[in-house]
Amino acid sequence: MSTGSTGSQGVSRRIENLHKGRVSRHASGSARSNVSRQDAYNYALRVAYLHHLLQPRAKRLQHSSAPKRPQAQRTQSSVTDLVRDFSTFKDPKSVRFPQGFMAELDKRITGVLMGKEKSPEYGDPMVKRTFAVFLNEFKRPEFRKSMEADRKMEGLILIFFSNATKELQKGKAPDDDHWKLLVDRHVALFVRLISATLKTNEWHKDKPELASRLQTLESKLLRHDQDLSAESQRNGGTGGSSVEVEVPRSQTVKDMPQVLTVANIFRRPINEVQSDLDEQKKSWTEKAALQDLKLYQTNLSLNTKKTLRTQDFDTEQAFEAWKKQETPELSQMLLAIMQSNPELAKSAPGALPPVKAANGTSQENQALDTGRRISDGDGSLYTVDVPVDMSALNLTDDAHEAEAESEGEPYMFIPPDPRRFYKVLVKEALSYELAESGASSPSGDNAGARLLGKKTSELLSEVGHWWRLPYISRLMLLLDAARDKYIDQELDLDTLDMVFNYFKDPPPEKKRPDNAQLFDRNKWPIADYILNQQVLKSVGDMLHRDFYQQFATCYTSKPPNIGPVMAVLETHIDDDPLYSRSAEDLDRFSEELGLMLSEKAEGQYNSLYEKEIKPNRSNLDFYHVVQLGKAVLKLTEKIQKRYRKTPEIMGVEPFGILVKTVLPAFEKDAHQLLSSMLDKSSGEDEIPIEDGFELYKELVEMRRVHVETLPNVPFGFHIEDLLARFVWRWISISDGNVNSTVEGAVKQDGFAVRNEGKDHEAADEERHSVSVIDLFRFFNQSIDQVTRLEWDDDLQYAKFMTALAKSVGTGLHRYCELLEQAFIKEMDRMTPAQEAALAQTKQEKWMQMAKDAITAKEKVEPFQFLPESFVKLNNIEYAMLQLDKIEREMNVDACVDVIKRSEPPQQDRRRRRNEKFVFTIKIIEAEDLKACDPNGLSDPYVVLGDEFQKRLAKTRIIYGNLNPRWDETVDITATGLLSVTATIWDWDVMGDHDCVGRTTIKLDPSHFSDYMPREYWLDLDTQGRLLVRITMEGEKDDIQFYFGKAFRGLKRTERDMTRKITDKLSAYIHHCLSKRALKSLTRQNNLSLSTVSSYFQKRTLPQPTVQVSPTTADVATALQPLFDYLNENLAIMQQTLTSTSMIAVMTRIWKEVLSTIESLLVPPLSDKPSPQQQLQEPELETVFKWLTMLFDFFHAVDDETGQANGVPLDVLKSPKYHDLQNLNFFYYETTDTLIRTSERMATATAERQRKVNGSATSQTQAGASSGNSSASAALTASKSSSLRAAPTGARRTKTVLHSRNLGTMRKAKEDKRKEAQAEPSDDMILRILRMRPEAARYLRDRARQRERLAAAAAADFIVRQSVAQGERRRQGMGRNTGSGAVPSRRSVMM
């Protein structure tokens, strides 16, 4: 029944009929009993033998003498006979001629008339005449239109037959029938032409049935064609005729195909079957079959229980439809029996339907001919193609009498209960076919045909036809039999699937409706409907049980394939509307499946646990937990892959149930096992770090699977908290080995350029040695070990990186210390002359000094640098680059942000109480120092000591200078207030060093809480003062602090090394650019540069009476020794230093040159008049020529290419260089003019400062909420030239926290340079005024004014700083109470 055709009323009626016992017909009580195998065999054998009796009898030709005037016989007797094969075909479409056929046939007929056909038979004039008459009819538009619409081949042949008959009959006598044979011949030639047309256009491939029927028709038409030419040739020339006579029917089983099939199915020997047949053949006759059909027809008319009745169908319409189909089939079967045995038509009670004979032929011969024609058809026994008058057929004579007798009269060929008998037969047939095929599982489109062999199928069809079982009943009983065999495990699942497919798409039967009409369940018998329900339910229950049992092994290594079971369920059971399984049943089944799978998953995990853990309880370690985790992951991956395409089966997800069961179980057990092992591990039994890292990776992978599959279920424990100790142990070990690693690397390093064995100059990347490479390889290995773990706790990861940064800073500090010690030792080594002088006695030293003074010997000699010294400087540069790379890879800013957001404020305040502070003291310069040497100069250096007289630091010695500039930096660590004493000493070759002056510095952390640098002029206790810059930074556990400290340490080491190199060159630079050399150039006697060396032995120089400006050539000649000296040393550097270090050294030398020239022009900045005298115009002109020539020398422009190879222009044109260039405009101005200019510039500076302070104040009041950035901006904006020049004030620049990597350092340096160029200063004017005695009062007034401005600015800064700090404190409290988004570990690691 279709999905929408059966309502609830129909189902209720069927169930009611089932209870009333009307679902099957039976004739007696014996029919209700079980059918034996013998009974089924007996009735099947009857039908098989009847089939043999009804087969057309074989014929043979028998000669008879010809009569005097033989009558010509036609092969066909009517038009209906000609087209019988076309009109009775099952699919009329298959025998219609194709599109375009009419046009092609028109051409071929025209070719016949024109003689183009090659076959000689078409050349006969009579044939052409017949074809010409037909062509006229063929070309009529009405005919063409009608034929192209219907496309029926029989219509075309009939029209030709009609025209040929009319044409050939013309002029013939009424008693002459010989022309009728010509009609057959011409029609045959027309059919042959049609076949040729189909083959020429390859239409016969698409219409094989049409081509076959045309061939058959042609052969029948030409059967007696040989008699057309010579009648006398018949029968060997004697004339007469040959007639067909019947061959006696065989009674041997071997000649009965269906009887043999019965014997095979029931496994009976041939002789036994032959015996049974011989015993019963007198009863199993055509007459008995005819009586069965008459009795069946009577029962059908009387609506008895021996046939299907109205009660056996759901509706009257269904019963009438079945009855309407049953009546003509019975008539056909009756006619077939009588055609097989015409004598039965005479002896049968009642009038049989007369067979209309044609042309006076006898009824008997016509019946024989009919049988022959039936055998020539498609093999169907009961399809009668001749027109039969069935009006006189009466099978219901004495109906009332027959009805009374029918209840007790059995059939001969129809069993008492055909359905049960047929089911037994089908079961035996299935057993036989399965045994013959070896229980193979045929597949493909012909699976149904392979299920039952051709002979078996024909037997079942014949039996079902004679037992009057509807086709759907036969199919249903086949399905029922297969159901029983499947339940009894005699049938496999593939064969069951084949049976269902055979049931759904059975082979068609002659005169049967198509499958769509066949499966209209509204027209089924009720018994079939209910049987269908029962079969579906029992098979469905069995398949569900099989599925349950097979699915229970889904977690095993090789589970059975559940695909076939599911395919049969989905294809044949669940989709069938008769399968009554409610949604509650399905949900209950799914729930049971889920519970069962959970138990199986738990069992799988327990088996893994017993395999990996239980045998190793006494010696358990991380390895076993890791192996258990790997086994669990392997199991989940295997199950996920297995069910990737079908994750949900029968409402359950095998993979989901598995992970919901095994993952939490593993997490719980792993946590307990690991916690127990970690608690027991200590000392020598400490678990190796590598095992902890391997365990972490496995647990993280397990957690990844957990998160992907169970997103809403938290992981069983926090992996990072449990295993963080292994990372800290790794960091601690690395930190403990860092100093030894550094010392070993330095000890084994020869500090040579790494181009050994190469004939080319070393590239920059080859100019550092292996120690720094080994050092950073060690650092990177330590960091990579942690990074590769992909730690999933942001706070812990940030703390790991902080600890590693501290370790890196410690290693770099030690590396810088060792390199600087070696570097100083190499740079301070004595020359052979100095070693000899050191060995002299005191008297010998005095004698040598007198001798040198008398001979005016030059003491300045070029210093011989060692290549390893420059390699050490290259290593420092490489270290800065690598440290900057590590800083970027660690994502320092993200780490700091995570720690700030995660740490509670109480802990932060507690940490600050125990914080250490690092004070960075930069000793910049001193001025107006006391002269301690006989020549009126001093050789000063500075020593810093604490309050316990412990030396903290010492600067280098500046020879022969009362205004020295050191620019050296030292770091001092303190936990609170610290007093530092700065003592300036005068270095002496012999005897004790003299004290030049002393001052005290108080380092109070509360005064430097803003981490801003401050500059102080400290007055000495004797004479003069010292300028220092002090910066404080907290010694805090902060990754930015550690990186900043490491960067500044490297930069300081680089700066000290560069300065040390410059100091070796500065003595000769000062010698060549001294005032004595300047005066010697401007004297009239033009003293040589060599005589200037007496400057080192004499206090005063003879002053020339007249000064003249030297020429450019004279100036160049005077500077040539300096150029040669620099070229000689720079060539050595060029071979070893990298390009960056080379530029740094040359830049430092350039600064020394500018400082030397500046000291010739003006004294240092101070509020006291200077004894230094202004230069004369020739001297000033000479100094600027020096500056120009030295500028070109350091820029080093290639004359050929025009490319600069020296110091870049932006470095050469420093603020000091611009100040010296501008000095020429003010140098000879009057004192009053200089004072007015200075006041104007000071006023403009003060106005700019007020604007900056006003803007900073408004930003502080309106935007203090911007936090540290706003405070930093306000502090930066507080700088001014007045403060910068204040003799007792503090100069404030950016916080040192901004100097933590190369990027921030370069930016700060660039900002400082731009700031110095952007803000004009009157410092140079004030320095010129120091050489004007009349400006002494103005200098004192300006000093007091700067002090007042500095005090006011400092007070304003303190107020703004307090406001900003209060606002930041309030914001910090708000952030700590709120929920801030913590950056992910990925962002920290990027």
Side-chain angles (χ1 to χ4, degrees):
M1 183 175 292
S2 62
T3 305
S5 62
T6 304
S8 60
Q9 295 179 356
V11 176
S12 299
R13 180 175 177 182
R14 291 186 180 95
I15 296 175
E16 181 182 359
N17 291 339
L18 175 63
H19 290 296
K20 291 181 179 180
R22 291 184 290 182
V23 295
S24 63
R25 65 182 190 270
H26 45 78
S28 64
S30 62
R32 296 187 181 91
S33 61
N34 293 329
V35 177
S36 66
R37 189 168 177 269
Q38 177 64 30
D39 293 339
Y41 158 74
N42 187 279
Y43 275 92
L45 184 61
R46 297 181 188 190
V47 175
Y49 179 66
L50 179 61
H51 176 268
H52 173 69
L53 295 179
L54 297 182
Q55 288 295 315
R57 298 183 183 182
K59 302 292 174 55
R60 59 183 177 83
L61 291 176
Q62 182 175 341
H63 174 69
S64 61
S65 300
K68 292 183 178 180
R69 294 184 61 115
Q71 297 289 332
Q73 295 186 357
R74 293 273 317 278
T75 60
Q76 300 292 345
S77 60
S78 66
V79 176
T80 305
D81 294 333
L82 289 173
V83 296
R84 174 178 57 83
D85 290 339
F86 297 96
S87 60
T88 60
F89 201 76
K90 178 180 177 182
D91 187 6
K93 294 182 180 179
S94 61
V95 294
R96 292 180 180 177
F97 55 76
Q99 295 287 348
F101 173 78
M102 296 289 287
E104 294 297 326
L105 183 60
D106 191 355
K107 296 178 182 178
R108 296 298 293 265
I109 296 174
T110 305
V112 171
L113 300 180
M114 297 177 64
K116 294 182 178 180
E117 283 295 326
K118 299 180 180 179
S119 299
E121 57 267 25
Y122 292 104
D124 191 318
M126 186 63 69
V127 172
K128 290 184 178 181
R129 190 177 73 179
T130 305
F131 274 71
V133 172
F134 171 73
L135 184 61
N136 293 332
E137 180 67 18
F138 186 78
K139 288 184 174 293
R140 282 196 315 108
E142 296 83 4
F143 175 77
R144 291 289 290 269
K145 184 177 181 181
S146 175
M147 292 306 299
E148 289 177 352
D150 295 335
R151 295 192 293 118
K152 291 184 178 180
M153 187 63 74
E154 59 267 30
L156 196 62
I157 296 174
L158 289 174
I159 295 299
F160 184 88
F161 175 84
S162 176
N163 284 274
T165 301
K166 294 178 182 179
E167 185 63 26
L168 294 175
Q169 194 177 9
K170 294 179 179 180
K172 299 296 187 294
D175 57 344
D176 186 6
D177 291 334
H178 292 287
W179 60 270
K180 295 181 179 180
L181 295 176
L182 291 178
V183 173
D184 291 347
R185 177 181 176 84
H186 289 193
V187 172
L189 292 176
F190 178 72
V191 172
R192 183 180 296 176
L193 186 67
I194 291 175
S195 299
T197 304
L198 292 174
K199 291 181 180 180
T200 302
N201 295 276
E202 296 185 352
W203 286 325
H204 68 289
K205 297 179 180 180
D206 299 329
K207 300 285 186 177
E209 297 87 355
L210 178 60
S212 175
R213 295 306 172 94
L214 289 173
Q215 184 68 28
T216 301
L217 179 60
E218 181 183 350
S219 62
K220 290 181 178 181
L221 289 170
L222 296 177
R223 180 176 300 171
H224 301 290
D225 191 47
Q226 58 184 350
D227 297 334
L228 296 177
S229 56
E231 184 178 347
S232 61
Q233 297 301 319
R234 180 173 298 184
N235 298 320
T238 62
S241 61
S242 297
V243 296
E244 288 183 341
V245 296
E246 292 182 354
V247 178
R249 194 185 305 275
S250 173
Q251 293 298 320
T252 305
V253 171
K254 294 182 180 180
D255 296 330
M256 305 176 188
Q258 290 200 359
V259 174
L260 289 175
T261 303
V262 173
N264 293 332
I265 289 176
F266 287 92
R267 296 172 178 82
R268 299 297 179 91
I270 299 298
N271 55 356
E272 181 181 346
V273 176
Q274 183 69 54
S275 175
D276 294 340
L277 197 60
D278 293 340
E279 183 180 351
Q280 298 293 337
K281 64 182 179 180
K282 294 181 179 180
S283 301
W284 300 345
T285 61
E286 294 100 322
K287 182 177 180 181
L290 182 62
Q291 293 297 330
D292 278 2
L293 291 181
K294 290 171 58 180
L295 182 58
Y296 181 86
Q297 177 65 27
T298 301
N299 292 327
L300 179 63
S301 301
L302 299 177
N303 199 22
T304 66
K305 293 182 179 181
K306 288 195 172 185
T307 65
L308 292 177
R309 298 177 295 170
T310 308
Q311 294 88 336
D312 294 322
F313 289 88
D314 184 35
T315 62
E316 294 289 343
Q317 292 81 3
F319 173 72
E320 293 299 332
W322 170 80
K323 187 175 181 181
K324 183 178 179 181
Q325 182 178 343
E326 190 77 356
T327 300
E329 288 188 7
L330 291 173
S331 300
Q332 298 290 342
M333 295 171 68
L334 288 169
L335 184 59
I337 293 174
M338 290 183 290
Q339 289 174 347
S340 176
N341 189 356
E343 295 297 331
L344 293 177
K346 301 177 182 179
S347 61
L352 292 175
V355 180
K356 296 180 180 180
N359 300 326
T361 57
S362 66
Q363 179 178 344
E364 181 179 357
N365 291 337
Q366 185 64 35
L368 295 175
D369 189 59
T370 301
R372 183 168 56 254
R373 295 194 191 111
I374 292 174
S375 64
D376 292 337
D378 58 357
S380 176
L381 299 180
Y382 312 114
T383 302
V384 181
D385 296 323
V386 296
V388 180
D389 185 5
M390 303 293 294
S391 60
L393 182 60
N394 182 10
L395 300 179
T396 59
D397 295 337
D398 302 327
H400 296 286
E401 181 180 356
E403 180 181 4
E405 297 176 357
S406 62
E407 291 295 332
E409 184 178 355
Y411 298 109
M412 178 61 69
F413 292 95
I414 302 177
D417 191 347
R419 295 177 63 88
R420 294 188 181 185
F421 276 78
Y422 190 82
K423 180 179 178 181
V424 174
L425 175 61
V426 170
K427 293 178 70 173
E428 292 295 328
L430 285 175
S431 301
Y432 167 74
E433 292 293 342
L434 292 175
E436 288 296 316
S437 61
S440 61
S441 300
S443 58
D445 296 338
N446 297 324
R450 297 186 183 182
L451 174 66
L452 298 174
K454 181 179 180 182
K455 296 180 180 180
T456 304
S457 299
E458 291 176 353
L459 174 65
L460 292 177
S461 177
E462 187 72 18
V463 170
H465 197 79
W466 272 102
W467 292 357
R468 303 316 303 148
L469 288 173
Y471 193 33
I472 189 60
S473 298
R474 292 181 243 163
L475 297 175
M476 197 66 249
L477 291 170
L478 172 64
L479 189 62
D480 186 24
R483 182 265 308 264
D484 292 345
K485 284 191 168 293
Y486 178 72
I487 293 176
D488 295 338
Q489 297 183 356
E490 298 179 12
L491 200 70
D492 59 13
L493 190 62
D494 291 337
T495 309
L496 179 65
D497 179 55
M498 233 184 335
V499 173
F500 270 105
N501 289 327
Y502 185 84
F503 173 76
K504 291 183 176 181
D505 188 18
E509 281 200 339
K510 185 68 175 177
K511 301 289 186 180
R512 297 289 182 183
D514 56 14
N515 290 351
Q517 186 176 358
L518 176 66
F519 285 95
D520 184 0
R521 285 172 172 155
N522 281 322
K523 299 180 180 181
W524 282 15
I526 296 175
D528 294 328
Y529 185 91
I530 296 178
L531 181 59
N532 195 4
Q533 282 185 323
Q534 294 173 351
V535 169
L536 292 175
K537 185 179 185 308
S538 58
V539 173
D541 293 343
M542 188 65 185
L543 290 175
H544 278 90
R545 284 194 295 271
D546 292 346
F547 174 82
Y548 186 91
Q549 294 173 358
Q550 294 181 11
F551 207 40
T553 62
C554 67
Y555 297 139
T556 58
S557 58
K558 294 182 179 180
N561 186 12
I562 61 174
V565 178
M566 291 187 59
V568 174
L569 279 172
E570 295 175 358
T571 307
H572 307 305
I573 307 300
D574 294 337
D575 292 342
D576 199 305
L578 288 184
Y579 182 59
S580 57
R581 194 175 180 90
S582 64
E584 292 77 7
D585 294 337
L586 294 176
D587 294 340
R588 191 179 306 109
F589 182 74
S590 299
E591 183 178 356
E592 293 175 358
L593 274 180
L595 294 175
M596 179 269 295
L597 290 181
S598 297
E599 294 177 358
K600 296 299 180 181
E602 185 177 357
Q604 284 291 323
Y605 174 74
N606 291 335
S607 63
L608 295 177
Y609 185 88
E610 293 177 358
K611 178 182 178 182
E612 301 293 342
I613 302 300
K614 284 193 174 182
N616 305 287
R617 274 290 188 182
S618 59
N619 191 23
L620 196 63
D621 57 19
F622 281 3
Y623 171 78
H624 303 105
V625 180
V626 170
Q627 290 302 112
L628 178 60
K630 288 182 177 180
V632 171
L633 283 180
K634 184 178 180 181
L635 175 63
T636 56
E637 290 173 356
K638 180 175 65 176
I639 300 303
Q640 184 182 26
K641 182 179 180 181
R642 182 178 295 170
Y643 297 103
R644 179 177 288 114
K645 294 183 179 180
T646 55
E648 182 176 342
I649 301 174
M650 291 291 184
V652 297
E653 296 181 0
F655 176 70
I657 293 175
L658 177 69
V659 296
K660 287 179 183 178
T661 304
V662 301
L663 292 186
F666 168 77
E667 294 158 13
K668 180 180 178 181
D669 292 340
H671 190 203
Q672 293 176 353
L673 294 172
L674 294 176
S675 299
S676 176
M677 285 186 284
L678 291 174
D679 292 341
K680 295 178 181 178
S681 64
S682 61
E684 296 181 357
D685 296 333
E686 193 76 29
I687 299 174
I689 297 176
E690 293 76 10
D691 292 351
F693 289 166
E694 181 68 21
L695 175 64
Y696 178 77
K697 294 177 182 178
E698 292 299 326
L699 292 179
V700 167
E701 178 64 18
M702 185 69 67
R703 182 170 58 189
R704 180 191 65 79
V705 176
H706 180 104
V707 172
E708 290 179 355
T709 56
L710 305 174
N712 298 323
V713 179
F715 194 73
F717 60 97
H718 196 272
I719 304 174
E720 285 71 22
D721 287 346
L722 187 66
L723 302 180
R725 65 181 69 185
F726 292 97
V727 183
W728 286 119
R729 283 174 54 195
W730 170 264
I731 295 175
S732 176
I733 293 173
S734 299
D735 187 63
N737 295 332
V738 66
N739 284 335
S740 60
T741 302
V742 171
E743 293 169 359
V746 173
K747 184 177 180 180
Q748 297 177 5
D749 193 2
F751 295 100
V753 176
R754 294 179 298 109
N755 67 334
E756 299 178 1
K758 300 179 181 179
D759 54 358
H760 62 82
E761 186 177 354
D764 281 357
E765 56 271 14
E766 298 175 335
R767 298 194 176 194
H768 49 269
S769 62
V770 295
S771 62
V772 69
I773 298 176
D774 295 340
L775 179 61
F776 275 93
R777 184 183 293 115
F778 172 77
F779 291 155
N780 288 324
Q781 287 176 352
S782 301
I783 296 170
D784 290 344
Q785 182 62 57
V786 179
T787 304
R788 285 196 300 268
L789 294 176
E790 297 184 359
W791 204 257
D792 202 21
D793 187 292
D794 295 338
L795 179 60
Q796 291 182 4
Y797 180 80
K799 290 182 178 180
F800 295 157
M801 293 297 106
T802 302
L804 288 171
K806 181 179 180 181
S807 178
V808 170
T810 302
L812 289 177
H813 175 75
R814 180 59 178 163
Y815 186 71
C816 292
E817 185 179 12
L818 294 176
L819 256 64
E820 197 166 9
Q821 290 174 0
F823 183 82
I824 292 174
K825 185 177 180 181
E826 294 166 358
M827 298 301 291
D828 291 344
R829 73 185 188 281
M830 293 183 180
T831 63
Q834 291 174 336
E835 292 178 353
L838 187 63
Q840 292 177 345
T841 63
K842 186 175 182 180
Q843 184 177 1
E844 290 174 344
K845 291 179 180 178
W846 280 107
M847 292 296 296
Q848 185 65 37
M849 290 177 62
K851 183 178 178 181
D852 292 341
I854 294 173
T855 58
K857 179 180 177 182
E858 294 184 356
K859 292 185 178 180
V860 180
E861 297 178 359
F863 182 80
Q864 298 298 324
F865 293 98
L866 298 177
E868 50 264 32
S869 301
F870 296 140
V871 172
K872 293 180 176 66
L873 182 58
N874 293 339
N875 286 357
I876 298 299
E877 177 205 349
Y878 179 82
M880 284 192 292
L881 294 174
Q882 293 300 312
L883 184 62
D884 189 65
K885 181 180 178 182
I886 292 177
E887 195 261 355
R888 292 194 306 270
E889 292 176 350
M890 280 189 176
N891 201 353
V892 171
D893 294 336
C895 293
V896 172
D897 187 60
V898 168
I899 294 176
K900 285 183 178 179
R901 291 177 182 272
S902 303
E903 269 192 348
Q906 294 82 2
Q907 181 179 350
D908 185 63
R909 288 197 295 268
R910 192 182 308 113
R911 180 175 53 81
R912 290 185 178 180
R913 286 196 208 92
N914 301 324
E915 187 176 1
K916 293 182 180 180
F917 303 95
V918 178
F919 290 92
T920 301
I921 302 176
K922 182 174 183 178
I923 303 173
I924 301 176
E925 61 181 346
E927 67 175 23
D928 198 20
L929 297 180
K930 181 180 70 174
C932 297
D933 291 339
N935 58 4
L937 300 174
S938 294
D939 302 324
Y941 65 93
V942 180
V943 176
L944 297 181
D946 60 8
E947 49 194 6
F948 302 104
Q949 303 302 320
K950 178 183 178 181
R951 175 180 288 192
L952 301 177
K954 173 182 174 294
T955 67
R956 73 187 190 281
I957 302 170
I958 305 297
Y959 295 98
N961 201 327
L962 299 179
N963 300 294
R965 188 176 185 91
W966 290 278
D967 285 330
E968 293 191 23
T969 304
V970 62
D971 289 341
I972 299 175
T973 303
T975 57
L977 180 63
L978 179 66
S979 295
V980 177
T981 301
T983 304
I984 302 179
W985 296 90
D986 171 58
W987 180 84
D988 287 328
V989 177
M990 295 177 295
D992 296 333
H993 298 179
D994 301 325
C995 179
V996 179
R998 184 179 286 108
T999 186
T1000 302
I1001 308 171
K1002 289 187 178 182
L1003 303 179
D1004 189 354
S1006 62
H1007 294 165
F1008 297 89
S1009 59
D1010 59 349
Y1011 301 105
M1012 297 295 295
R1014 292 174 172 82
E1015 291 183 356
Y1016 296 98
W1017 280 105
L1018 304 175
D1019 293 328
L1020 302 177
D1021 57 356
T1022 55
Q1023 174 186 336
R1025 56 185 180 175
L1026 177 67
L1027 178 61
V1028 295
R1029 179 184 301 155
I1030 303 175
T1031 304
M1032 186 196 76
E1033 57 186 19
E1035 182 73 29
K1036 51 186 178 180
D1037 190 19
D1038 181 83
I1039 189 170
Q1040 289 180 336
F1041 168 79
Y1042 293 130
F1043 271 104
K1045 184 178 179 180
F1047 270 108
R1048 289 190 294 277
L1050 289 171
K1051 195 65 179 177
R1052 186 181 301 119
T1053 302
E1054 181 190 47
R1055 189 164 53 244
D1056 292 344
M1057 288 182 175
T1058 305
R1059 185 179 61 247
K1060 197 73 176 178
I1061 295 172
T1062 306
D1063 289 346
K1064 295 299 181 181
L1065 303 174
S1066 62
Y1068 197 75
I1069 292 174
H1070 294 163
H1071 173 72
C1072 295
L1073 300 180
S1074 64
K1075 199 162 187 178
R1076 179 174 299 194
L1078 177 63
K1079 290 186 177 297
S1080 66
L1081 275 175
T1082 56
R1083 288 179 182 173
Q1084 287 183 340
N1085 54 6
N1086 195 18
L1087 297 175
S1088 66
L1089 186 64
S1090 61
T1091 61
V1092 183
S1093 61
S1094 61
Y1095 170 77
F1096 291 94
Q1097 294 82 29
K1098 300 179 181 180
R1099 295 192 180 191
T1100 59
L1101 293 175
Q1103 299 293 329
T1105 57
V1106 180
Q1107 290 186 348
V1108 294
S1109 298
T1111 63
T1112 303
D1114 294 338
V1115 175
T1117 302
L1119 285 180
Q1120 190 60 43
L1122 177 61
F1123 292 156
D1124 294 340
Y1125 176 71
L1126 292 176
N1127 281 328
E1128 181 180 352
N1129 287 280
L1130 292 177
I1132 298 174
M1133 299 178 191
Q1134 186 71 28
Q1135 296 176 359
T1136 310
L1137 288 176
T1138 63
S1139 56
T1140 303
S1141 299
M1142 186 68 184
I1143 295 298
V1145 172
M1146 293 181 66
T1147 301
R1148 187 75 185 180
I1149 298 173
W1150 172 246
K1151 289 182 179 179
E1152 191 67 27
V1153 169
L1154 292 179
S1155 298
T1156 303
I1157 293 177
E1158 183 185 39
S1159 65
L1160 291 175
L1161 294 174
V1162 290
L1165 186 63
S1166 177
D1167 58 344
K1168 299 178 181 179
S1170 173
Q1172 183 175 341
Q1173 300 294 323
Q1174 279 188 259
L1175 298 180
Q1176 301 297 323
E1177 290 188 6
E1179 294 175 334
L1180 183 65
E1181 183 180 352
T1182 301
V1183 168
F1184 278 103
K1185 286 182 180 179
W1186 282 353
L1187 182 62
T1188 302
M1189 292 180 181
L1190 287 169
F1191 182 91
D1192 294 339
F1193 174 81
F1194 280 93
H1195 193 38
V1197 177
D1198 194 332
D1199 295 336
E1200 296 180 358
T1201 63
Q1203 182 179 0
N1205 299 318
V1207 182
L1209 281 178
D1210 58 339
V1211 177
L1212 292 174
K1213 294 183 178 181
S1214 61
K1216 181 171 287 189
Y1217 175 81
H1218 287 288
D1219 289 342
L1220 293 178
Q1221 291 288 343
N1222 296 332
L1223 185 65
N1224 196 22
F1225 297 103
F1226 304 106
Y1227 202 74
Y1228 293 114
E1229 292 288 341
T1230 63
T1231 302
D1232 293 339
T1233 303
L1234 291 176
I1235 291 174
R1236 287 194 299 271
T1237 304
S1238 176
E1239 290 179 346
R1240 186 172 60 253
M1241 296 176 69
T1243 302
T1245 301
E1247 182 64 26
R1248 288 195 305 272
Q1249 185 60 37
R1250 280 193 295 271
K1251 293 180 179 179
V1252 171
N1253 290 340
S1255 174
T1257 302
S1258 62
Q1259 292 177 5
T1260 303
Q1261 295 175 352
S1265 61
S1266 59
N1268 293 334
S1269 60
S1270 299
S1272 177
L1275 297 180
T1276 306
S1278 66
K1279 297 190 301 179
S1280 67
S1281 60
S1282 60
L1283 289 178
R1284 187 168 55 248
T1288 59
R1291 186 178 72 168
R1292 309 183 192 277
T1293 60
K1294 291 186 177 180
T1295 172
V1296 295
L1297 296 179
H1298 292 168
S1299 300
R1300 56 183 175 82
N1301 56 32
L1302 289 179
T1304 56
M1305 287 180 176
R1306 293 191 185 105
K1307 188 176 185 303
K1309 188 175 182 180
E1310 183 67 18
D1311 293 343
K1312 181 179 178 182
R1313 185 180 65 82
K1314 292 181 179 179
E1315 179 185 357
Q1317 294 179 354
E1319 297 183 2
S1321 173
D1322 61 342
D1323 289 355
M1324 278 299 180
I1325 296 177
L1326 295 176
R1327 296 173 72 173
I1328 294 173
L1329 290 176
R1330 285 195 65 196
M1331 295 183 294
R1332 310 286 178 89
E1334 62 273 18
R1337 183 177 179 180
Y1338 175 74
L1339 292 175
R1340 288 193 298 271
D1341 293 341
R1342 279 295 305 275
R1344 287 193 292 270
Q1345 179 187 8
R1346 289 195 296 271
E1347 290 175 0
R1348 290 194 297 271
L1349 290 174
D1356 181 67
F1357 169 72
I1358 292 173
V1359 172
R1360 289 186 281 108
Q1361 184 184 28
S1362 300
V1363 174
Q1365 288 179 349
E1367 184 64 28
R1368 288 197 302 272
R1369 190 178 299 109
R1370 288 191 295 273
Q1371 292 178 355
M1373 294 176 63
R1375 285 195 303 269
N1376 292 325
T1377 57
S1379 58
V1382 179
S1384 64
R1385 176 184 56 80
R1386 187 179 299 276
S1387 66
V1388 175
M1389 296 179 64
M1390 288 178 60

